[in-house]
Amino acid sequence: MTDNPFDQDREDAVLGPSVDHRGGVYIVTWPQGVTAEVMRLRETRDGHLKGRLTMRHGAEGSDIIDRRRIVSGVDQNMSSTVTRRQLIKELQEKIPDDNLPGYTWGQIVEQMCSLVQDTYWQGEPVHTIGNGLQLPPRESGFLCSPYLRSGVSTMFYGKGGSTKSMIGARLALLVQAGVSEPGMTVQRQANVLVLDWETDAYDFNERVKAIKAGSEVLRDTDTAIGYRRCHRPLLDDISEIQRQVVDRDVGFIIIDSVGGALRGDFNDAAVAIEFFNAVRSLNVTALLIDHVAKGGTDPIGSVMKLNTARSTWEVQASEEDVGSSTRRVALFHRKVNTGKMLSPRGFKVVFQSDHQDEELQQVRFEPIEVSDVPDLAAGLPVKDQIVKYLRGQDNGRATLEDICTGLGLKPAAAKSALYRGRGVTFTSIDELGEWGLL
């Protein structure tokens, strides 16, 4: 062993390490059986880069039998020569260089610090778009159609009791199992992690068991969903969540709900942007469940939540079902950044509890037509409401006045929809002042 910890005399014997960066976790691996995991990287005021370091000696498949942590949770400065020397000394005291198969701890530490710093400062690559660029093929536009676009954030929002969390749990089960049901088509299987600021593992497990019991497709599937009860803002907990995403190979996360995950005033646009940047760092498909303000229809807080989510669905439950074991629910597509706006989707959610009404035993989802539920139909586009109304008339015709009276529409809104759709959806019988369907 030499006096210089960075001695390169045995450099030729060290096979080059590889670095894997995903979700804010950097894993450097050497074929000789050493692994370094760096997370919670942050820039200091004096320009250094620090991170939480864990090192293991003896990887599976290597010649080293003793697979153990030799450094665990150390706050390591990646750019300081002094702290590198301290780390090398600690490693040499635990496993002397003479006992290593053809390399030194000086070489290992130097390579680790250089690779992590280079990868961090490089950031995401720059692509030249529009001139025949051959990007790697994307797996699919949707993780689960029509709700979850791959690799981006989708938001479900609605009043309390609108079953949005129950729908989220159903999506989690389908994606984890890699199976589809009517109205939800899973394009590929992915491991799921649920981050819950509202209930606990017992409540979520009860939902999962009840949904599986009510579904012939899910009943006998393997659905090992990751679940984490949360109480700290997402930004304060992001490093541990990043590690969970990597360790569990997570491809889909559910955050329930956004309000609990924010750090700061939910009316502050900067707080919303910080939250979405944290979600983006996970590099997975995300479903964000949020509430609406009292008396409002948009997600509570900053409009940046709606602006930053790539697709949003408003979840409404029929007020006619209050107190019933059945809830009729509509999902209205309010925004999309890629693709077209989709037509509303409807479900009847049937709950079955035990005799004491203490434990949920079964939940069934059945597709319904939103237009068949009067208070939900009011959320449909005006054109769709008029189509439904005209189809219900004996002769398929009605005057503008009758349409407005029957649907409770303002004349200007109804007239605008009729004239925009004339010749495509509607036809006018001028001599009678009536409208019909083509």
Side-chain angles (χ1 to χ4, degrees), residues 343-416:
S343 59
R345 266 57 176 178
F347 296 101
K348 180 170 70 173
V349 188
V350 183
F351 300 89
Q352 180 180 323
S353 301
D354 58 17
H355 295 302
Q356 290 76 34
D357 203 27
E358 293 180 352
E359 183 177 354
L360 190 61
Q361 293 185 327
Q362 188 179 104
V363 176
R364 297 196 316 275
F365 288 83
E366 302 170 7
I368 61 169
E369 288 293 333
V370 175
S371 57
D372 291 338
V373 186
D375 60 340
L376 297 180
L380 291 169
V382 173
K383 183 193 79 171
D384 294 346
Q385 294 184 53
I386 295 174
V387 168
K388 175 73 174 178
Y389 180 81
L390 292 175
R391 284 175 178 166
Q393 304 307 302
D394 291 338
N395 60 356
R397 299 175 180 177
T399 64
L400 175 62
E401 183 180 355
D402 290 338
I403 292 170
C404 292
T405 301
L407 295 173
L409 297 174
K410 294 181 178 179
K415 189 174 182 179
S416 175

Side-chain angles (χ1 to χ4, degrees), residues 329-347:
V329 179
L331 288 87
F332 298 98
H333 200 199
R334 299 306 192 196
K335 175 205 167 179
V336 65
N337 282 78
T338 303
K340 65 179 182 179
M341 295 282 286
L342 302 174
S343 59
R345 266 57 176 178
F347 296 101

Side-chain angles (χ1 to χ4, degrees), residues 88-106:
I88 293 166
K89 182 179 179 181
E90 179 183 347
L91 292 167
Q92 288 173 339
E93 289 174 351
K94 294 181 178 180
I95 303 176
D97 281 352
D98 290 342
N99 295 342
L100 299 178
Y103 57 93
T104 68
W105 285 120

Side-chain angles (χ1 to χ4, degrees), residues 310-332:
R310 299 297 84 189
S311 180
T312 66
W313 293 80
E314 183 184 359
V315 184
Q316 292 184 13
S318 174
E319 298 294 336
E320 298 175 4
D321 298 329
V322 174
S324 169
S325 60
T326 298
R327 299 301 304 270
R328 290 168 296 175
V329 179
L331 288 87
F332 298 98

